[in-house]
Amino acid sequence: MLLRRAALGGCALLIIAAAVKFGSGMQTSTEVLPPAPPWQGQPAAQPSRPAPGVAVVQNDAPSPVPPAGDDISWLRSRALTLPVQGIGASQLSDTYSQARAAGAPHEAIDIMAARGTPVVAAEDGLVAKLFLSKPGGITLYQFDPSNQYAYYYAHLDRYADGIVEGARLHKGQLIGYVGSTGNASPDAPHLHFAIFRLGPERQWWRGTPLNPYLVWRDPGPDRP
């Protein structure tokens, strides 16, 4: 009986020793599992949204691209409508190169007219942006059908009813009214009208300026 108890006691000691050995080994392990790959158990990344004010509308079926360096001839061929109702080409003045506030170049023409005179779209296209700025006041940016040019109408008194960003315009369509908002003199309401060729990013606020006067009239004797 004593021998049997001794044997059982020895087995118990061996079992306890083994448990201590393996248990201490598990407790002191420093193995670190690698993180799960990003495609396991995580939702797919959502496409980023464009920054506000950067995205622009595009015409559905752009017309042929104008030849480089021949912008004025191309625009003349499109027979643009003078954007102030009742004003003819002979009444335009070439104010494109005149200096403005702080010596900044004008890069546009001022079409003088009574306050409230209808302003119409110079060509078919889309409203790219309606914008209220300190210098330009109530303004409208329009893209032409080729998405190559932007027409800029500034100092508006107000927009015409139904004019919203992304709206499709037709040549001669009413878009607003002559005013003097922004930095224009209240005593000299007019439409500040500019044309610029868009860059590849099609940013409504940036491009290469062109002289609108030359679209409707030949340069004078003092101009090249």
Side-chain angles (χ1 to χ4, degrees):
M1 179 65 70
L2 291 174
L3 290 175
R4 184 177 179 182
R5 288 181 177 177
L8 290 174
C11 290
L13 290 174
L14 287 175
I15 292 172
I16 292 171
V20 170
K21 178 180 179 181
F22 288 107
S24 62
M26 290 175 64
Q27 292 171 0
T28 58
S29 174
T30 58
E31 180 182 5
V32 178
L33 295 176
W39 59 84
Q40 292 184 5
Q42 297 183 11
Q46 297 298 315
S48 60
R49 297 181 179 275
V54 174
V56 297
V57 294
Q58 297 286 328
N59 290 287
D60 297 331
S63 61
V65 176
D70 199 19
D71 299 286
I72 297 300
S73 296
W74 178 268
L75 290 168
R76 282 189 170 195
S77 72
R78 301 189 67 84
L80 301 187
T81 296
L82 269 164
V84 177
Q85 195 173 86
I87 299 296
S90 62
Q91 297 171 268
L92 298 179
S93 297
D94 189 358
T95 58
Y96 180 81
S97 300
Q98 291 182 357
R100 286 299 187 264
H106 192 207
E107 296 180 341
I109 60 173
D110 288 338
I111 306 176
M112 312 305 294
R115 187 183 313 278
T117 301
V119 174
V120 299
E123 188 179 13
D124 295 344
L126 296 178
V127 178
K129 187 69 176 179
L130 301 178
F131 192 69
L132 180 63
S133 75
K134 186 173 182 179
I138 298 173
T139 70
L140 183 151
Y141 291 81
Q142 175 195 354
F143 282 9
D144 84 311
S146 69
N147 288 323
Q148 297 295 316
Y149 300 103
Y151 306 117
Y152 174 57
Y153 311 78
H155 302 317
L156 297 173
D157 192 60
R158 61 185 176 89
Y159 300 118
D161 293 341
I163 296 298
V164 295
E165 290 183 9
R168 189 173 300 279
L169 300 178
H170 301 288
K171 183 188 296 186
Q173 178 180 340
L174 178 66
I175 60 174
Y177 301 89
V178 170
S180 57
T181 56
N183 62 7
S185 169
D187 299 326
H190 64 276
L191 175 70
H192 172 103
F193 181 71
I195 303 175
F196 53 91
R197 182 164 186 159
L198 295 164
E201 302 85 1
R202 305 293 187 266
Q203 295 168 324
W204 53 268
W205 68 93
R206 180 183 300 169
T208 302
L210 303 167
N211 188 350
Y213 180 85
L214 301 179
V215 174
W216 290 288
R217 300 195 65 181
D218 292 326
D222 57 338
R223 295 180 59 90

